[in-house]
Amino acid sequence: MSDSGEMPTAKLGPSSTGVRFAFGGRAGQVLQDHFERDVHLAVLSAKFKLYYRLRPFIPIPLRQWLQRGRNQSIEVSQSWYLPIDFLNDFQTAIEREGDAVAIHPWPDGFQMAVSLTHDIETAQGMKWIDQLAAMEEKLGLRSSWNVVPYKYKVDPCIIKDLQQRGHEVGIQGYNHDGRLYESRRTFMRRSGSINKAIAKYGSVGFRSPMVHRNFQWLQDLDVQYDASSFDTDPFQAMPGGVGGVWPFMVGKFVELPYTLPQDHTLMVSLGETTPRIWLKKLEFLRSMAGMAMVITHPDYLDSPKRLEIYRRFLDHVAEQTDCWKALPRDVASWWRQRDELEIVDDRIVGSLASRARLWPLHELAAIMQVASPTSPSVSTPDALSLCNEDTF
């Protein structure tokens, strides 16, 4: 929120679902424009619709081979994991804001937020949960574990154990067949069963498999947040990207975009052997006071080398004292509270105003040196040096 104008509100479809962003004024208008572009682009091609119909008959090794081949064939710039188009527009907007102030995205003096999430795609992935959870707990970290309720047997003892240890359990789709958004009728038919799973496992969050999305349809779900969007990810079957690296309100829930590349993309498709890209993006998100949300899969963290990559990333996160290490449900809860705060006469007014602070937007403009969309380099001084040096 800023004193530079009213909070932009986008409308989606005939039921006019309101969307409210992190900032108002020109900055908020850029967030709205890129959100609306994502809504327009988030459509599966006929080729992918056919693929998902045939997918049950394609052996898993062949599916993985096809996915690797597709991802490796996509030409991307050196800075593919940064939302460059958005950043150029956002920089121009905040430079024109003058002395506008906003409520800082994060509470209690933190500069950024980090949220760890896991999507469990198979029964085999369930078996890896304890090992990964223990790795995080040794560093004082907790995460969210998203189960597919109607694909494999979800062990209630594992769910209860995770929750007792301070982790969160979310729901990931229906049965992970890629057809949840095939039609409005299909989504409506499945949403009742999804809501039953949400209640059964005490979940408050949802993520769509393959991060397919339709924010209007998602209003059918009984959740406090959805996490089916991303800032940028050129490897997804459903294209788009909201650009912004902060949560935002979508109708009745908070939307939490993931902002770090997925483990499958890095380790399987691109063959990364270190967490260097995760760490580069983390530094960039710090400069933007953004949210670092990562998606990993126990199904893919299935070797000592891949576990070591994740462990090194966790070690780095645990050392960051200016990062709010929060579960998605806690981020969503704060964002609702922040959304109710107001700036009146240069002070924050609201029931939790003591946790918030004012943030001059010109401070953000000062650290953004955004490259052109065609440039292979990265857009902030810190990120630029990181991208030009293989330091991790």
Side-chain angles (χ1 to χ4, degrees), residues 10-19 35 39 42 181 184 187-188 191 213-221 226 250-253 255:
K11 301 294 184 182
L12 293 180
S15 62
S16 298
T17 300
V19 184
F35 168 79
V39 170
Y181 295 87
R184 176 64 173 138
F187 191 92
M188 290 178 65
S191 63
R213 58 205 177 278
N214 181 308
F215 296 110
Q216 188 70 59
W217 299 357
L218 282 163
Q219 300 299 312
D220 292 350
L221 302 185
D226 172 69
V250 182
K252 68 180 185 180
F253 58 71
E255 182 64 23

Coordinates of all heavy atoms in Angstrom, one line a residue, residues 10-19 35 39 42 181 184 187-188 191 213-221 226 250-253 255:
A10 N -7.8 -5.7 -9.8 CA -8.2 -6.3 -11.0 C -9.5 -7.1 -10.9 O -9.8 -7.5 -9.8 CB -7.0 -7.2 -11.5
K11 N -10.2 -7.3 -12.0 CA -11.4 -8.0 -12.0 C -11.2 -9.2 -12.9 O -10.7 -9.1 -14.0 CB -12.6 -7.2 -12.4 CG -12.8 -6.0 -11.6 CD -13.3 -6.3 -10.2 CE -13.6 -5.0 -9.4 NZ -14.0 -5.3 -8.0
L12 N -11.7 -10.4 -12.4 CA -11.6 -11.6 -13.2 C -13.0 -12.2 -13.5 O -13.7 -12.6 -12.6 CB -10.8 -12.7 -12.5 CG -9.3 -12.4 -12.2 CD1 -8.7 -13.5 -11.4 CD2 -8.6 -12.2 -13.5
G13 N -13.4 -12.1 -14.8 CA -14.5 -12.8 -15.2 C -15.8 -12.2 -14.7 O -15.9 -11.2 -14.0
P14 N -16.9 -12.9 -14.9 CA -18.3 -12.4 -14.6 C -18.5 -12.2 -13.1 O -19.4 -11.4 -12.8 CB -19.2 -13.4 -15.2 CG -18.4 -14.7 -15.3 CD -17.0 -14.2 -15.6
S15 N -17.8 -13.0 -12.3 CA -18.1 -12.8 -10.9 C -17.2 -11.8 -10.2 O -17.3 -11.6 -9.0 CB -17.9 -14.2 -10.2 OG -16.6 -14.6 -10.3
S16 N -16.4 -11.1 -11.0 CA -15.6 -9.9 -10.5 C -14.8 -10.2 -9.3 O -15.0 -9.6 -8.2 CB -16.6 -8.7 -10.2 OG -17.2 -8.4 -11.4
T17 N -14.0 -11.2 -9.4 CA -13.1 -11.5 -8.3 C -12.0 -10.4 -8.2 O -11.3 -10.1 -9.1 CB -12.3 -12.9 -8.6 OG1 -13.3 -13.9 -8.7 CG2 -11.4 -13.2 -7.5
G18 N -11.9 -9.8 -7.0 CA -11.0 -8.7 -6.8 C -9.6 -9.2 -6.5 O -9.4 -10.2 -5.9
V19 N -8.6 -8.5 -7.1 CA -7.2 -8.8 -6.9 C -6.5 -7.6 -6.4 O -6.6 -6.5 -7.0 CB -6.6 -9.3 -8.2 CG1 -5.1 -9.7 -8.0 CG2 -7.4 -10.4 -8.8
F35 N -0.1 -9.3 -14.0 CA -1.1 -10.3 -13.5 C -2.1 -10.6 -14.6 O -2.4 -11.8 -14.9 CB -1.8 -9.9 -12.3 CG -3.0 -10.7 -11.9 CD1 -2.8 -12.0 -11.3 CD2 -4.3 -10.3 -12.2 CE1 -3.9 -12.8 -10.9 CE2 -5.3 -11.1 -11.9 CZ -5.2 -12.3 -11.2
V39 N -3.0 -14.1 -16.6 CA -4.3 -14.7 -16.8 C -4.6 -15.0 -18.2 O -5.2 -16.0 -18.6 CB -5.4 -13.7 -16.2 CG1 -6.8 -14.2 -16.6 CG2 -5.3 -13.6 -14.7
A42 N -2.3 -18.1 -19.4 CA -2.4 -19.3 -18.7 C -3.4 -20.3 -19.3 O -4.5 -20.5 -18.7 CB -2.7 -19.1 -17.2
Y181 N -7.9 -28.7 -15.1 CA -8.4 -27.5 -15.8 C -8.8 -27.7 -17.2 O -8.9 -26.8 -18.0 CB -7.3 -26.4 -15.7 CG -7.0 -25.9 -14.3 CD1 -6.0 -26.6 -13.5 CD2 -7.7 -24.9 -13.7 CE1 -5.7 -26.2 -12.3 CE2 -7.4 -24.5 -12.4 CZ -6.4 -25.1 -11.7 OH -6.1 -24.8 -10.4
R184 N -14.4 -26.3 -17.2 CA -15.0 -25.8 -16.0 C -15.8 -27.0 -15.3 O -15.8 -27.1 -14.1 CB -16.0 -24.6 -16.3 CG -16.7 -24.1 -15.1 CD -15.8 -23.6 -14.0 NE -16.5 -22.9 -12.9 CZ -16.2 -23.0 -11.7 NH1 -15.2 -23.8 -11.3 NH2 -16.9 -22.4 -10.7
F187 N -13.4 -29.2 -13.4 CA -12.9 -28.6 -12.2 C -14.0 -28.6 -11.1 O -13.8 -29.0 -9.9 CB -12.5 -27.2 -12.4 CG -11.7 -26.6 -11.2 CD1 -10.4 -26.7 -11.1 CD2 -12.4 -25.9 -10.2 CE1 -9.7 -26.1 -10.1 CE2 -11.8 -25.4 -9.1 CZ -10.4 -25.5 -9.0
M188 N -15.2 -28.3 -11.5 CA -16.3 -28.3 -10.5 C -16.6 -29.7 -10.0 O -16.9 -29.9 -8.8 CB -17.6 -27.8 -11.2 CG -17.6 -26.3 -11.5 SD -19.1 -25.7 -12.3 CE -20.3 -26.0 -11.1
S191 N -13.8 -30.4 -7.5 CA -13.5 -29.5 -6.4 C -14.1 -30.0 -5.1 O -13.6 -29.7 -4.0 CB -14.0 -28.1 -6.8 OG -15.4 -28.1 -7.0
R213 N -3.5 -23.3 -13.7 CA -4.2 -22.3 -12.8 C -5.4 -21.6 -13.6 O -5.3 -21.4 -14.8 CB -3.3 -21.3 -12.2 CG -2.5 -20.5 -13.3 CD -1.2 -19.9 -12.8 NE -0.5 -19.2 -13.9 CZ 0.2 -19.8 -14.8 NH1 0.4 -21.2 -14.7 NH2 0.9 -19.2 -15.7
N214 N -6.4 -21.3 -12.8 CA -7.5 -20.5 -13.2 C -8.0 -19.8 -11.9 O -8.7 -20.5 -11.1 CB -8.6 -21.2 -14.0 CG -9.7 -20.3 -14.4 OD1 -10.2 -19.5 -13.7 ND2 -10.0 -20.4 -15.7
F215 N -7.6 -18.6 -11.7 CA -7.9 -18.0 -10.4 C -9.4 -17.9 -10.1 O -9.8 -17.9 -8.9 CB -7.2 -16.6 -10.3 CG -5.7 -16.7 -10.4 CD1 -5.0 -16.2 -11.5 CD2 -5.0 -17.2 -9.3 CE1 -3.7 -16.3 -11.5 CE2 -3.6 -17.3 -9.4 CZ -2.9 -16.8 -10.5
Q216 N -10.2 -17.8 -11.2 CA -11.6 -17.7 -10.9 C -12.1 -19.1 -10.4 O -12.9 -19.1 -9.5 CB -12.3 -17.3 -12.3 CG -13.8 -17.1 -12.1 CD -14.1 -15.8 -11.3 OE1 -13.6 -14.7 -11.7 NE2 -14.7 -15.9 -10.2
W217 N -11.8 -20.1 -11.1 CA -12.2 -21.4 -10.7 C -11.7 -21.8 -9.3 O -12.4 -22.5 -8.5 CB -11.8 -22.5 -11.7 CG -12.3 -22.3 -13.0 CD1 -13.2 -21.3 -13.5 CD2 -12.0 -23.1 -14.2 NE1 -13.4 -21.5 -14.8 CE2 -12.7 -22.5 -15.3 CE3 -11.2 -24.2 -14.4 CZ2 -12.6 -23.1 -16.6 CZ3 -11.1 -24.8 -15.7 CH2 -11.8 -24.2 -16.8
L218 N -10.5 -21.4 -9.0 CA -9.9 -21.7 -7.7 C -10.7 -21.2 -6.5 O -10.5 -21.6 -5.3 CB -8.5 -21.2 -7.6 CG -7.4 -22.1 -8.4 CD1 -6.1 -21.4 -8.6 CD2 -7.2 -23.4 -7.6
Q219 N -11.6 -20.2 -6.7 CA -12.4 -19.6 -5.7 C -13.3 -20.7 -5.1 O -13.9 -20.5 -4.0 CB -13.2 -18.4 -6.2 CG -12.3 -17.3 -6.7 CD -11.4 -16.7 -5.6 OE1 -11.9 -16.4 -4.5 NE2 -10.2 -16.5 -6.0
D220 N -13.5 -21.8 -5.8 CA -14.4 -22.9 -5.3 C -13.8 -23.6 -4.1 O -14.5 -24.4 -3.4 CB -14.6 -23.9 -6.4 CG -15.5 -23.4 -7.6 OD1 -16.0 -22.3 -7.4 OD2 -15.6 -24.1 -8.6
L221 N -12.5 -23.5 -3.9 CA -11.8 -24.3 -2.9 C -11.8 -23.6 -1.5 O -11.7 -22.3 -1.4 CB -10.3 -24.5 -3.3 CG -10.2 -25.2 -4.7 CD1 -8.7 -25.6 -4.9 CD2 -11.0 -26.5 -4.7
D226 N -3.5 -20.0 -2.1 CA -3.2 -20.9 -3.3 C -1.7 -20.6 -3.6 O -1.2 -19.4 -3.4 CB -4.1 -20.6 -4.5 CG -3.6 -21.3 -5.7 OD1 -3.7 -22.5 -5.8 OD2 -3.1 -20.6 -6.7
V250 N -6.3 -12.6 -4.0 CA -7.1 -13.0 -5.2 C -8.5 -13.4 -4.6 O -8.6 -14.5 -4.1 CB -6.5 -14.1 -6.0 CG1 -7.4 -14.4 -7.2 CG2 -5.1 -13.7 -6.5
G251 N -9.4 -12.6 -4.7 CA -10.7 -12.9 -4.2 C -10.7 -13.3 -2.7 O -10.2 -12.4 -1.9
K252 N -11.0 -14.5 -2.3 CA -11.1 -14.8 -0.9 C -9.8 -15.4 -0.4 O -9.7 -15.6 0.8 CB -12.2 -15.9 -0.7 CG -12.0 -17.2 -1.3 CD -13.1 -18.2 -1.0 CE -12.9 -19.6 -1.5 NZ -14.0 -20.5 -1.2
F253 N -8.8 -15.6 -1.2 CA -7.5 -16.2 -0.7 C -6.3 -15.4 -1.1 O -6.4 -14.4 -1.9 CB -7.3 -17.6 -1.2 CG -7.3 -17.9 -2.7 CD1 -6.3 -17.4 -3.4 CD2 -8.4 -18.5 -3.3 CE1 -6.3 -17.7 -4.8 CE2 -8.4 -18.8 -4.6 CZ -7.3 -18.3 -5.4
E255 N -2.7 -15.3 -2.8 CA -1.9 -16.1 -3.8 C -0.4 -15.9 -3.5 O 0.1 -14.8 -3.3 CB -2.1 -15.5 -5.2 CG -1.4 -16.3 -6.3 CD -1.8 -17.7 -6.4 OE1 -2.9 -18.1 -6.0 OE2 -1.0 -18.5 -7.0

